[in-house]
């Protein structure tokens, strides 16, 4: 009996050793940062199920996201729509905690593929409380300064990363050909060359692409940079009458020469993603245009990043939207869209796309192409090595350095359109030292109005309590001599103006905030009571009118009574930049990025058109030199106007 127990004892020891010795972990190439990215992509793709692949193609809104949803559906991306925040006045730390919570859900899946979070950082990290809000693109186009725009891109990247977000839906490289379009302020210019020059914002956002980088391959330098997104492909700024999401009627050569050049440049600079336009080209919805998305963007131009739809872009393939969603899924994915912004109805999209693949309507090769592109961007941005954000950049949000940069951008964006009733009697720059001045107008003391749309909310806001910044009124008070009495009255009547013995007046009026279709306008008028304010003030005394708007507006009826006219566009939070130039600490240097029409009946009208008869032509801008002049008695400086 004793002998028989020895083999049993030995077997027990062997079994115990097997159970207690850890098995050697499987080597997974996709987790090895030393492996080339194509090898990592292929290794991961080979391991993925159809369910996991389709999940990567889905981007959902943070309102419906959770760690559980990320894990269950293998969701590839989350976004914040305009105004979608984790809490009112949320801190950078609150944003980071939210993003990391979603990310932990993704990391807990079988393969641990990180999600990528995106946000509309279109003029700074503009959804976030205390962020620096830079001038909208139309103002930056007036600066004609690509190096400045690149710096703004780098600052925006830091402020976006400060909240734990690695993906910015910027830049908009539309060429707005009609100011009636509600997105015209998102366009740098009516001129394709200026828009092309301003793609320098991409290396600002993503980092400078190495000289030996293969053409079309996305590039992100590191943790201080973000994934950029050129949008909206293609022709979004050319729709008939400027109607948002409408039809752009233009031939192939016109599309290539006006609307496409900035995409060539974006790809050369390593842009990681491209967003598709809601609009159509010659009646073909861009979200279904395989010829332009797969044929031209991917195959001809060699774009290797991923193509993303716009918000519910597949729904809008049909009219009414979502009328035949099964068809929309098929048409959009077949066209070459890789990631679908399907904010709320993601389960329907997943089920629909799965059905199409299993029934051979959409080939697996198309799914693999989409996922390969998405994974490429995730590897490039370093998400597999650093999936969770930390607090190391929180002090970048609204930093003084960035606010000074924004202030510089405001100064360089201002365009002086009129200066005095005659060239030898200029009104600007204004003296800082005088007895009493009037500041009037609905936009003089309203941070929301001066920031415009896509600020804190999708449609923007009004008032001074939603974020941090300096209004133009506050800037004026900061700038004038302490003995100068600044009187503010939003809409004074003529009697008030005449009875107060003001030295001069500054009137700040313009458009109320708007975004996208809500901004479409067939009349382009200054918001009430702006015209009344101009008449009451400028009819009685020397006045400077500062226009806060996302585009040229009707001004000719009031021009004769206005002594000096400044186009300030949508300057953002740093209103001090306006006072810097108006009072002569810096000179006016901005040039019109688009034609200023006389009447809306002339529209569309762009430089080079045979019927070109503008109030102020493209490229116009009166220049002034800085001055230290402090009183009304000092002589005015000479000025000169110049064009492109």
């Amino acid at each position: 009996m004793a002998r028989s127990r020895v083999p049993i004892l030995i077997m027990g020891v062997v079994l115990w050793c097997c159970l207690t010795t850890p098995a050697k972990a499987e080597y997974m190439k996709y987790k090895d940062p030393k492996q080339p990215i194509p090898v990592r992509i292929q290794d991961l793709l080979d391991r993925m199920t159809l369910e996991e692949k389709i999940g990567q193609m889905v981007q959902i809104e943070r309102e419906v996201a959770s760690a559980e949803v990320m894990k269950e559906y293998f969701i590839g991306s989350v976004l914040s729509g305009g105004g979608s925040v984790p809490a009112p006045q949320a801190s950078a730390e609150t944003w980071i905690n939210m993003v990391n919570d979603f990310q932990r859900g993704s990391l807990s899946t079988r393969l641990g593929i990180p999600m990528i979070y995106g946000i509309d950082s279109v003029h700074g990290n503009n959804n976030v409380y205390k962020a620096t809000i830079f001038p909208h693109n139309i103002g930056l186009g007036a600066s004609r300064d690509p190096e400045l725009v690149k710096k703004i891109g780098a600052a925006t990247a830091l402020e976006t990363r400060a909240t734990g977000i690695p993906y910015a839906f910027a830049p908009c490289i539309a060429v707005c050909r009609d100011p009636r379009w509600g997105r015209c302020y998102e366009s740098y210019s009516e001129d394709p060359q200026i828009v092309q020059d301003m793609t320098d914002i991409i290396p600002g956002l993503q980092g400078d692409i190495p000289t030996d980088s293969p053409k079309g391959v996305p590039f992100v330098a590191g943790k201080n940079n973000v994934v950029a997104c050129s949008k909206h492909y293609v022709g979004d700024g050319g729709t008939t009458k400027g109607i948002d999401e409408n039809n752009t009627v233009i031939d192939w050569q016109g599309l290539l020469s006006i609307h496409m050049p900035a995409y060539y440049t974006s790809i050369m600079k390593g842009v990681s993603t491209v967003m598709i336009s809601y609009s159509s080209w010659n009646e073909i919805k861009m979200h279904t245009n395989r010829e332009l998305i797969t044929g031209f963007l991917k195959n001809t131009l060699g774009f290797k990043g991923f193509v993303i739809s716009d918000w519910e872009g597949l729904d809008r393939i049909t009219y009414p939207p979502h009328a035949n969603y099964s068809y929309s899924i098929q048409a959009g994915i077949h066209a070459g869209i890789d990631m679908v912004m399907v904010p709320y109805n993601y389960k329907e999209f997943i089920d629909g796309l799965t059905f199409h693949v299993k029934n051979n309507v959409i080939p697996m090769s198309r799914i693999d192409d989409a996922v390969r592109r998405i994974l490429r961007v995730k590897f490039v941005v370093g998400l597999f090595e650093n999936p969770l954000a930390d607090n190391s950049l929180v002090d970048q949000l609204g930093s003084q350095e960035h606010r000074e940069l924004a202030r510089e951008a405001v100064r360089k964006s201002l365009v002086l359109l009129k200066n005095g009733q005659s060239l030898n009697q200029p009104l600007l720059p204004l003296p800082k030292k005088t007895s009493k001045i009037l500041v009037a107008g609905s936009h003089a003391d309203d941070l929301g109005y001066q920031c415009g749309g896509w600020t804190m909310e999708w449609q923007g806001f009004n008032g001074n309590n939603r974020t941090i910044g300096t209004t133009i009124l506050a800037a004026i008070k900061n700038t004038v001599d302490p003995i100068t009495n600044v009187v503010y009255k939003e809409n004074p009547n003529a009697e008030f103006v005449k009875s107060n013995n003001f030295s001069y007046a500054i009137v700040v009026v313009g458009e109320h905030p708007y975004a996208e279709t809500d901004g479409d306008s067939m009349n382009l008028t200054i918001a009430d009571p702006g015209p009344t304010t101009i008449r009451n003030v400028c009819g009685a005394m020397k006045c400077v009118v500062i226009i806060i708007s996302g585009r040229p507006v009707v001004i000719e009826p009031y021009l004769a009574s206005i002594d000096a006219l400044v186009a300030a566009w949508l300057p953002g939070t740093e209103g001090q930049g306006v006072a810097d130039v108006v009072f002569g600490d810096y000179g006016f240097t901005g040039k019109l990025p688009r034609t200023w029409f006389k009447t809306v009946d002339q529209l569309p009208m762009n430089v080079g058109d045979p019927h070109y008869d503008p109030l102020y032509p493209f490229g116009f801008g009166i220049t002034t030199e800085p001055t230290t002049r402090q009183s009304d008695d000092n002589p005015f400086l000479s000025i000169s106007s110049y064009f492109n």
Side-chain angles (χ1 to χ4, degrees):
M1 295 291 294
R3 288 182 185 176
S4 66
R5 289 177 186 165
V6 173
I8 295 173
L9 183 61
I10 293 171
M11 288 176 62
V13 171
V14 171
L15 181 61
W16 179 82
C17 290
C18 291
L19 291 173
T20 56
T21 302
K24 188 176 180 180
E26 181 188 357
Y27 173 62
M28 298 184 178
K29 290 181 181 179
Y30 79 90
K31 291 186 175 183
D32 184 355
K34 294 179 182 178
Q35 290 287 345
I37 286 178
V39 172
R40 299 178 75 183
I41 293 170
Q42 192 59 53
D43 180 64
L44 180 50
L45 199 63
D46 289 344
R47 299 172 187 274
M48 295 173 72
T49 65
L50 176 61
E51 187 180 14
E52 288 165 333
K53 290 176 180 178
I54 288 176
Q56 284 300 301
M57 298 171 67
V58 180
Q59 185 180 68
I60 64 174
E61 223 290 327
R62 54 153 293 279
E63 292 178 15
V64 298
S66 68
E68 293 72 26
V69 167
M70 304 304 291
K71 181 177 182 180
E72 182 176 355
Y73 295 96
F74 309 103
I75 301 296
S77 184
V78 181
L79 85 152
S80 277
S84 178
V85 299
Q89 299 188 356
S91 67
E93 290 87 352
T94 299
W95 279 91
I96 288 168
N97 291 339
M98 176 193 70
V99 173
N100 282 347
D101 182 55
F102 299 150
Q103 189 68 282
R104 289 187 183 96
S106 296
L107 298 177
S108 69
T109 57
R110 181 178 72 93
L111 295 171
I113 304 172
M115 68 88 190
I116 186 166
Y117 198 104
I119 197 166
D120 282 284
S121 292
V122 297
H123 62 142
N125 194 359
N126 43 261
N127 279 284
V128 177
Y129 181 64
K130 290 186 178 180
T132 308
I133 307 300
F134 294 92
H136 267 298
N137 286 356
I138 189 170
L140 300 181
S143 78
R144 302 292 203 278
D145 192 340
E147 184 60 34
L148 172 70
V149 169
K150 182 178 179 181
K151 291 177 182 176
I152 289 170
T156 299
L158 285 170
E159 296 210 15
T160 303
R161 282 286 198 168
T163 54
I165 298 172
Y167 183 15
F169 303 131
C172 177
I173 53 173
V175 182
C176 175
R177 303 292 284 177
D178 193 323
R180 293 174 289 187
W181 186 38
R183 306 194 79 152
C184 200
Y185 64 79
E186 297 185 57
S187 168
Y188 293 107
S189 178
E190 70 188 46
D191 177 28
Q193 184 61 58
I194 291 176
V195 177
Q196 207 169 1
D197 292 343
M198 294 304 173
T199 58
D200 270 8
I201 196 171
I202 292 168
L205 291 163
Q206 296 192 155
D208 287 308
I209 189 167
T211 54
D212 60 348
S213 183
K215 180 195 169 189
V217 176
F219 174 79
V220 180
K223 293 173 70 175
N224 291 351
N225 299 98
V226 294
V227 168
C229 180
S230 290
K231 65 183 188 183
H232 308 83
Y233 186 83
V234 60
D236 50 341
T239 58
T240 302
K241 295 183 179 180
I243 298 171
D244 192 34
E245 305 183 22
N246 208 257
N247 187 36
T248 296
V249 180
I250 195 169
D251 63 20
W252 176 240
Q253 286 305 315
L255 190 75
L256 289 182
S257 63
I258 294 174
H259 299 285
M260 197 69 81
Y263 287 96
Y264 312 150
T265 317
S266 295
I267 291 167
M268 294 300 291
K269 293 174 182 176
V271 74
S272 296
T273 70
V274 170
M275 186 182 293
I276 303 302
S277 176
Y278 289 129
S279 59
S280 302
W281 175 49
N282 296 337
E283 303 295 343
I284 300 172
K285 286 276 189 182
M286 276 306 309
H287 275 75
T288 70
N289 198 319
R290 181 174 171 82
E291 177 187 352
L292 281 177
I293 298 173
T294 297
F296 195 74
L297 179 65
K298 291 183 175 181
N299 295 341
T300 302
L301 298 184
F303 175 62
K304 299 296 192 296
F306 70 75
V307 173
I308 186 169
S309 81
D310 208 333
W311 178 281
E312 294 182 340
L314 295 195
D315 300 66
R316 301 191 202 187
I317 287 172
T318 59
Y319 187 82
H322 206 79
N324 185 346
Y325 197 53
S326 178
Y327 162 75
S328 295
I329 293 170
Q330 176 189 342
I333 301 303
H334 175 72
I337 295 172
D338 304 311
M339 182 178 283
V340 179
M341 199 182 290
V342 53
Y344 304 116
N345 295 326
Y346 60 93
K347 296 177 187 177
E348 182 183 9
F349 171 77
I350 290 170
D351 289 344
L353 182 53
T354 303
F355 176 85
H356 284 320
V357 175
K358 288 185 174 179
N359 286 275
N360 299 315
V361 176
I362 294 175
M364 183 61 77
S365 59
R366 172 75 272 271
I367 302 301
D368 286 347
D369 172 59
V371 177
R372 182 175 282 108
R373 290 168 177 274
I374 293 164
L375 294 177
R376 180 177 293 122
V377 171
K378 289 184 176 184
F379 279 120
V380 163
V381 77
L383 279 175
F384 282 82
E385 285 67 59
N386 297 290
L388 297 174
D390 58 37
N391 293 349
S392 61
L393 294 175
V394 295
D395 61 345
Q396 296 289 334
L397 189 68
S399 72
Q400 190 57 40
E401 182 182 356
H402 296 163
R403 292 188 183 279
E404 288 298 328
L405 178 64
R407 182 175 171 180
E408 177 189 353
V410 174
R411 292 195 295 262
K412 291 181 175 179
S413 70
L414 302 178
V415 181
L416 182 55
L417 298 174
K418 182 179 181 180
N419 194 12
Q421 296 298 347
S422 64
L423 279 176
N424 58 1
Q425 289 186 313
L427 181 59
L428 296 175
L430 294 171
K432 297 177 183 178
K433 188 174 182 180
T434 189
S435 57
K436 184 165 58 172
I437 65 175
L438 172 65
V439 179
S442 52
H443 290 54
D445 191 33
D446 196 302
L447 200 58
Y449 284 179
Q450 85 187 33
C451 288
W454 290 110
T455 311
M456 307 310 295
E457 299 283 350
W458 175 40
Q459 294 293 327
F461 68 99
N462 66 289
N464 297 326
N465 62 351
R466 294 294 305 277
T467 193
I468 305 298
T470 303
T471 68
I472 293 170
L473 174 63
I476 292 167
K477 290 179 176 179
N478 292 341
T479 304
V480 296
D481 191 276
I483 72 162
T484 301
N485 182 16
V486 178
V487 177
Y488 172 61
K489 195 166 182 65
E490 184 174 327
N491 186 28
N493 58 38
E495 182 181 350
F496 175 86
V497 175
K498 292 174 182 176
S499 64
N500 271 276
N501 196 29
F502 294 109
S503 301
Y504 57 82
I506 301 172
V507 178
V508 192
V509 293
E511 296 185 297
H512 291 163
Y514 54 81
E516 301 190 42
T517 305
D518 285 4
D520 286 356
S521 172
M522 294 299 111
N523 54 37
L524 295 177
T525 53
I526 293 169
D528 288 330
T532 303
T533 308
I534 293 173
R535 282 191 293 267
N536 289 348
V537 176
C538 297
M541 61 184 298
K542 286 182 182 178
C543 76
V544 180
V545 173
I546 299 172
I547 304 293
I548 304 295
S549 68
R551 53 203 166 184
V553 291
V554 173
I555 195 67
E556 191 182 34
Y558 326 111
L559 194 56
S561 66
I562 295 171
D563 295 287
L565 179 63
V566 177
W569 315 111
L570 298 169
T573 51
E574 306 314 302
Q576 191 65 48
V578 176
D580 286 343
V581 181
V582 168
F583 289 97
D585 291 325
Y586 294 81
F588 282 93
T589 58
K591 297 181 287 183
L592 282 181
R594 57 178 320 99
T595 300
W596 203 293
F597 57 87
K598 293 176 180 176
T599 71
V600 292
D601 296 335
Q602 297 175 293
L603 300 175
M605 179 176 63
N606 295 285
V607 63
D609 288 349
H611 65 291
Y612 199 68
D613 182 28
L615 180 64
Y616 296 109
F618 169 84
F620 178 81
I622 301 170
T623 63
T624 64
E625 296 296 325
T627 179
T628 56
R629 171 169 63 82
Q630 292 295 308
S631 73
D632 275 326
D633 298 328
N634 285 348
F636 288 103
L637 297 177
S638 62
I639 57 172
S640 62
S641 61
Y642 66 96
F643 299 82
N644 260 14

